[in-house]
Amino acid sequence: MNNPPTEEVRVLAPPAMPGVELMHARYVTQRFSRHFHEEYAIGIIERGAMRFHYLGDDMTAAAGQVNLVVPGEVHDGHAAMAELGWTYRMFYLDPSVLEPALQELTVRPRSVHFQAGVIQDPALAERVLRAHHALGTPGASTLARQTLLLDMLTYWIAEHGEQRSSLPVQRPEPGAAAVAREIINDRHAEDLRLDDLATQAGMSPYHLVRVFKARHGLPPHAYLVQVRIGRAKALLRTPMRLADIAAAVGFADQSHLTRHFKRQFGVTPGAYRNFLQNTGDPAA
């Protein structure tokens, strides 16, 4: 006898991110009745395909495509091919969550409408996936979560909003970028917030991300990771335990330190420390 298809659902409200809810689900036999959300719903199909009736049309969202619905619009949902089902990552966003992006992209903040229920845009799909991973990963920094979410929202609104908006012209702001850089260097062990950095730098969060990346080659959250890795590398020359080093430099735990360290240096922190000890480094 064949086992019934496995369905898995995970829902998460990320800490310190009011108005944001995440879902990561695999459905096979699920059939959603016609319903609506009070939030914007946007996600990416990872595998399979979902079919749904929305805005008077039958639509199919396949792997790699972005699917979305706006608040108050009735829709349903089921597998496009019953035997395959679909897997997707979804955001459910209170309209207030879009306000910072709207303020960047318009003279006056306004509500925004999206006509399409399925979007074929690899750049948007990548942003949705990156942001979802960041917000759904335990221990990810608040700075990374806020930055990647804002990047997703501004691109989505600018490229696919009903009244398209142009991204603002970027002005060089070396002073503001330097202020933010100094704060990150000095307070790298803290769970820094993008809005606090922007206030200290004297500009909006979105503008800060753009000028910081132009000046330093990385957005603030990625620069923060590099600072933490650099501090950890120095501490690996001391007798401190790896878990204590991770905590001291601001990583959520030792596994986060190990993952980021190996991604940059190609070896784990423990292997790096052993290398120093085995080569007789007097500072190790």
Side-chain angles (χ1 to χ4, degrees), residues 197-208:
L197 281 180
T199 298
Q200 293 294 319
M203 60 176 53
S204 71
Y206 178 75
H207 192 196
L208 174 62

Side-chain angles (χ1 to χ4, degrees), residues 181 184-186 188 222-233 249 251 264:
R181 182 175 183 267
I184 293 173
N185 286 339
D186 291 344
H188 61 274
Y223 180 82
L224 172 62
V225 171
Q226 299 307 302
V227 172
R228 288 174 172 175
I229 292 172
R231 302 294 193 273
K233 186 179 181 183
V249 302
F251 285 112
Q264 179 164 336

Side-chain angles (χ1 to χ4, degrees), residues 44-207:
I44 180 172
I45 307 295
E46 293 185 300
R47 290 180 293 278
M50 176 182 65
R51 192 159 178 81
F52 60 108
H53 190 81
Y54 177 63
L55 296 177
D57 289 324
D58 289 320
M59 305 179 181
T60 300
Q65 293 182 318
V66 173
N67 65 292
L68 65 97
V69 297
V70 299
E73 289 291 346
V74 175
H75 59 286
D76 56 16
H78 57 86
M81 298 182 66
E83 65 274 16
L84 295 179
W86 80 98
T87 301
Y88 65 174
R89 292 178 178 269
M90 294 295 300
F91 282 96
Y92 297 95
L93 305 170
D94 185 273
S96 63
V97 175
L98 277 63
E99 288 177 5
L102 286 170
Q103 290 172 350
E104 294 295 339
L105 299 171
T106 62
V107 176
R108 297 179 183 174
R110 70 178 197 284
S111 62
V112 63
H113 182 72
F114 301 90
Q115 185 65 28
V118 178
I119 299 176
Q120 179 66 43
D121 183 341
L124 176 60
E126 181 182 358
R127 284 169 166 83
V128 173
L129 190 61
R130 265 204 320 255
H132 200 283
H133 276 299
L135 271 71
T137 300
S141 71
T142 301
L143 183 59
R145 290 170 171 165
Q146 292 177 325
T147 301
L148 293 174
L149 180 62
L150 184 60
D151 178 57
M152 180 193 87
L153 294 176
T154 50
Y155 181 90
W156 175 33
I157 294 170
E159 296 299 321
H160 300 285
E162 188 174 64
Q163 298 180 4
R164 297 195 174 190
S165 307
S166 298
L167 292 172
V169 176
Q170 179 178 314
R171 304 187 307 275
E173 298 279 0
V179 168
R181 182 175 183 267
E182 184 176 353
I183 292 171
I184 293 173
N185 286 339
D186 291 344
R187 298 168 51 192
H188 61 274
E190 300 178 25
D191 188 18
L192 296 172
R193 295 180 58 88
L194 179 61
D195 46 356
D196 291 339
L197 281 180
T199 298
Q200 293 294 319
M203 60 176 53
S204 71
Y206 178 75
H207 192 196

